[in-house]
């Protein structure tokens, strides 16, 4: 996932290099085994498709064309916050200013997918982005999982028998 303009520029340049390499594929040395050449081309095509997908997603977010996805789990919260920032047209520096933090702190949060951020900080970030999340589906799934775990736990014999 592209998280900022620097990564966007790097990804665009990498996509151009892959594209150029694919166009020049016909110039492989004649001594290259055809199966190796085919595998090399397939890998480059796959990598180019992944880069182009990331570029398209970032550009769609920046232009407001892409709707934000629902937070399905805590694991997807970081990506959703990053996408919300991009869709709001905010740089990492802009978000930091809204929160009274330095750009580098936002960069660290996003680089680690908010692993070191407290729940209070995540809520603060969501509020700064004016992000509204429908947590009911997630909470319903969480309650079902916790209930099943509790039932299983109660059924265990912890006396070593």
């Amino acid at each position: 996932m592209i998280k900022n303009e620097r990564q966007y520029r790097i990804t665009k340049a990498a996509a151009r290099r892959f594209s150029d390499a694919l166009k020049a594929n016909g110039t492989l040395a004649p001594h290259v085994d055809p199966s190796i050449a085919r595998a090399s081309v397939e890998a480059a095509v796959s990598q180019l498709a992944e880069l182009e997908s990331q570029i398209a997603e970032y550009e769609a977010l920046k232009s407001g064309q892409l709707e934000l996805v629902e937070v399905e789990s805590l694991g997807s919260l970081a990506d959703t916050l990053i996408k919300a920032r991009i869709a709001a047209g905010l740089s990492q520096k802009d978000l930091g200013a809204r929160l009274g933090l330095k750009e580098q702190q936002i960069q660290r949060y996003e680089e680690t997918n908010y692993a070191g951020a407290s729940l209070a900080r995540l809520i603060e970030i969501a509020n700064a982005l004016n992000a509204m999340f429908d947590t009911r589906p997630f909470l319903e799934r969480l309650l079902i999982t916790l209930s099943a775990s509790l039932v299983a736990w109660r059924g265990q014999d912890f006396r070593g028998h």
Side-chain angles (χ1 to χ4, degrees):
M1 177 179 168
I2 299 172
K3 298 177 182 178
N4 56 47
E5 285 295 313
R6 180 176 175 274
Q7 290 179 357
Y8 174 68
R9 288 190 305 275
I10 291 169
T11 305
K12 292 266 297 186
R16 260 191 312 278
R17 285 192 303 275
F18 273 101
S19 180
D20 291 346
L22 286 169
K23 289 175 188 168
N25 186 38
T27 62
L28 287 176
H31 64 278
V32 174
D33 183 275
S35 62
I36 292 174
R38 189 173 40 259
S40 176
V41 168
E42 288 172 2
V45 166
S46 174
Q47 185 63 44
L48 179 59
E50 174 62 25
L51 294 172
E52 288 174 339
S53 172
Q54 290 180 18
I55 290 166
E57 178 186 49
Y58 186 79
E59 289 174 345
L61 283 167
K62 291 271 302 179
S63 69
Q65 296 173 357
L66 191 63
E67 286 190 30
L68 296 179
V69 295
E70 175 183 294
V71 178
E72 295 179 9
S73 70
L74 288 177
S76 68
L77 180 60
D79 281 351
T80 303
L81 288 173
I82 294 166
K83 289 176 181 179
R85 177 188 57 75
I86 295 166
L90 298 174
S91 66
Q92 292 170 326
K93 184 176 184 175
D94 296 334
L95 178 58
R98 283 189 179 188
L99 296 165
L101 300 172
K102 293 185 178 186
E103 176 183 12
Q104 291 81 3
Q105 182 60 53
I106 302 300
Q107 289 171 343
R108 279 191 294 274
Y109 280 149
E110 290 188 358
E111 184 62 32
T112 62
N113 290 320
Y114 289 97
S118 67
L119 179 58
R121 177 66 77 192
L122 293 172
I123 292 168
E124 197 178 344
I125 291 167
N127 288 337
L129 294 169
N130 297 319
M132 301 296 289
F133 301 115
D134 182 5
T135 57
R136 286 173 294 173
F138 167 69
L139 291 175
E140 288 169 2
R141 286 190 303 275
L142 180 62
L143 287 173
I144 290 168
T145 302
L146 290 174
S147 295
S149 297
L150 183 59
V151 167
W153 179 75
R154 284 184 175 168
Q156 292 182 0
D157 184 358
F158 291 103
R159 293 174 286 166
H161 298 124

